[in-house]
Amino acid sequence: MKHYEVEILDAKTKDKLCFLDKVGKILPSFSLHWYPARQSIRLDPKGKSLKDEDVLQHLPVGTTATFYFRDLGAQISWVTVFLTEYAGPLLIYLMFYFRVPFIYAPKYDFTTSKHWVVHLACMCHSFHYVKRLLETLFVHRFSHGTMPLRNIFKNCTYYWGFAAWMAYYINHPLYTPPTYGEQQIRLALTVFLFCQIGNFSIHIALRNLRPPGSKTRKIPYPTKNPFTWIFLLVSCPNYTYELGSWLGFTLMTQCLPVAFFTLVGFIQMTVWAKGKHRSYLKEFRDYPTLRSPILPFIL
C-alpha cells in the first residue's frame, strides 16, 4: 500500500496545525478541536471542501501532500433549519387569520372575514407549509447533514417576515377580493394545486435517485409520472413548480406583498437553479443540453 505524508495548514494564517506520517489511501478524518461537520479540508486555501469519500490516491497530490483547514463555524442540521423556517409561517399566518388581539382593532379580535377567498387562501397557505414540513421529515435526503448556524436566523427572518406581511393584508378587515371574482379565484386555485402536486412529484423523483444513506448524484430523468416530464426541458423543475404555486397564490389573493414575495423567491430560486445546472453540466458529460435551469427555453 502506498503511504503519504500529510501536512495540515490553517487556511487563513498558513500556520502548521499538524503533520501525519504513513497515511493510507483514505483521506483521514482530522480532529482539530472541532467536530467533523465544522471542519473543512481543502487542497487550496480558497478552494472547495474535499468530500468524505475522497481518497488520496485519486487527488492531484504527491506522496507529500499539503491540505488546508478552515473552521466553518457552528453548525446546525438541515432538518432542524427546515422545520423551524417552515413551522413559523404556518403558525404566524394562522395568528392573523384568527385575528388574535393586538394585531387589528380590538373590535375585530377573533372575528372572521366575510370573503370566502380569505378562508381559501388560509387553507392553501397552510397546506403548502404542512406539505413542506412532511417532506422534510419523510421525503428529502440531504447530501450535507449540516449548515452554518447563522443560516437559521437569516432563513427565519425571510420566511417568517414575509408570512406576517402577507397575512396582515390578506386577513385585514378591509381586504377586498380579486377584481374578477370567482373566475379568477378558481383559476388561481387550479394553478396552485397543479403546481403543488408537480412540486411533490419532483421531490419524490429526486428522492428515488439517491439510496438511503448515500450521497450519490445522478442525472434526473422523467418517470412514468406526467408531472416529471418537465425534466426534459428544465434542470430544476421543483423550483419551476414552486414559482407556479406562488404565482397562483398571488392571482388568488391579488395582494401586493404576495407578489413581492413571489418575485424575491423567483430571483433566489433562479440563482440556485443556475448553480445546480452548472454543476450538472460540469459533473456529467452526457447531461441533456436542451434543458434550461428553471424556465424552459428562457432561463
Side-chain angles (χ1 to χ4, degrees):
M1 179 185 293
K2 189 176 181 179
H3 289 91
Y4 297 81
E5 292 181 346
V6 176
E7 182 182 48
I8 308 295
L9 305 182
D10 187 284
K12 292 182 178 180
T13 65
K14 306 301 186 294
D15 293 337
K16 182 185 290 188
L17 299 177
C18 70
F19 181 84
L20 302 170
D21 190 17
K22 295 183 180 181
V23 178
K25 293 182 180 180
I26 306 299
L27 185 64
S29 178
F30 305 104
S31 179
L32 299 172
H33 309 297
W34 305 116
Y35 47 90
R38 185 166 177 166
Q39 301 178 42
S40 170
I41 304 297
R42 313 171 183 203
L43 283 171
D44 183 86
K46 296 182 180 179
K48 292 185 177 181
S49 300
L50 295 174
K51 300 176 182 178
D52 293 341
E53 58 269 23
D54 283 334
V55 295
L56 285 168
Q57 65 178 12
H58 294 157
L59 296 174
V61 296
T63 54
T64 300
T66 299
F67 293 97
Y68 297 88
F69 165 81
R70 183 178 291 273
D71 176 19
L72 298 177
Q75 299 287 298
I76 188 172
S77 75
W78 278 78
V79 171
T80 301
V81 173
F82 276 21
L83 292 178
T84 305
E85 68 186 35
Y86 296 154
L90 177 64
L91 298 176
I92 290 170
Y93 194 100
L94 290 175
M95 289 173 59
F96 285 88
Y97 174 74
F98 289 112
R99 295 177 179 171
V100 298
F102 307 111
I103 294 179
Y104 304 113
K107 66 178 180 179
Y108 296 115
D109 288 353
F110 298 113
T111 60
T112 58
S113 174
K114 61 182 179 181
H115 304 299
W116 69 279
V117 66
V118 172
H119 308 298
L120 180 63
C122 181
M123 287 188 285
C124 289
H125 189 274
S126 299
F127 174 83
H128 175 75
Y129 282 103
V130 168
K131 168 182 165 293
R132 282 194 169 190
L133 288 168
L134 293 176
E135 285 176 337
T136 299
L137 291 172
F138 304 110
V139 177
H140 294 319
R141 288 175 178 160
F142 302 100
S143 57
H144 300 286
T146 64
M147 67 168 72
L149 178 62
R150 62 181 178 275
N151 283 11
I152 195 170
F153 302 105
K154 179 180 64 177
N155 292 12
C156 288
T157 298
Y158 171 75
Y159 282 107
W160 296 16
F162 266 114
W165 191 27
M166 292 188 294
Y168 176 82
Y169 285 99
I170 295 172
N171 297 287
H172 197 285
L174 300 180
Y175 170 80
T176 55
T179 304
Y180 297 100
E182 189 171 319
Q183 278 188 320
Q184 180 175 336
I185 297 169
R186 291 186 183 278
L187 173 62
L189 178 61
T190 301
V191 171
F192 177 84
L193 292 177
F194 178 88
C195 290
Q196 287 287 286
I197 296 171
N199 180 264
F200 177 73
S201 299
I202 298 301
H203 286 161
I204 292 295
L206 292 175
R207 168 192 168 86
N208 293 337
L209 282 179
R210 178 175 293 160
S214 168
K215 296 184 179 180
T216 304
R217 282 170 55 88
K218 300 178 183 178
I219 299 176
Y221 286 106
T223 67
K224 294 180 180 179
N225 183 342
F227 285 96
T228 67
W229 295 352
I230 192 175
F231 267 126
L232 293 170
L233 302 174
V234 173
S235 292
C236 301
N238 50 322
Y239 297 147
T240 310
Y241 282 124
E242 182 79 7
L243 172 63
S245 294
W246 286 108
L247 286 174
F249 196 71
T250 301
L251 184 65
M252 179 189 300
T253 58
Q254 198 170 299
C255 183
L256 186 60
V258 180
F260 189 68
F261 176 70
T262 303
L263 175 62
V264 174
F266 172 58
I267 294 171
Q268 179 61 74
M269 287 187 290
T270 299
V271 172
W272 290 336
K274 285 184 173 182
K276 289 189 176 183
H277 185 71
R278 285 193 300 268
S279 178
Y280 281 138
L281 290 172
K282 183 178 180 180
E283 186 172 355
F284 303 106
R285 293 183 178 180
D286 57 341
Y287 191 74
T289 56
L290 184 62
R291 296 185 187 180
S292 301
I294 187 170
L295 297 179
F297 309 114
I298 300 174
L299 186 65

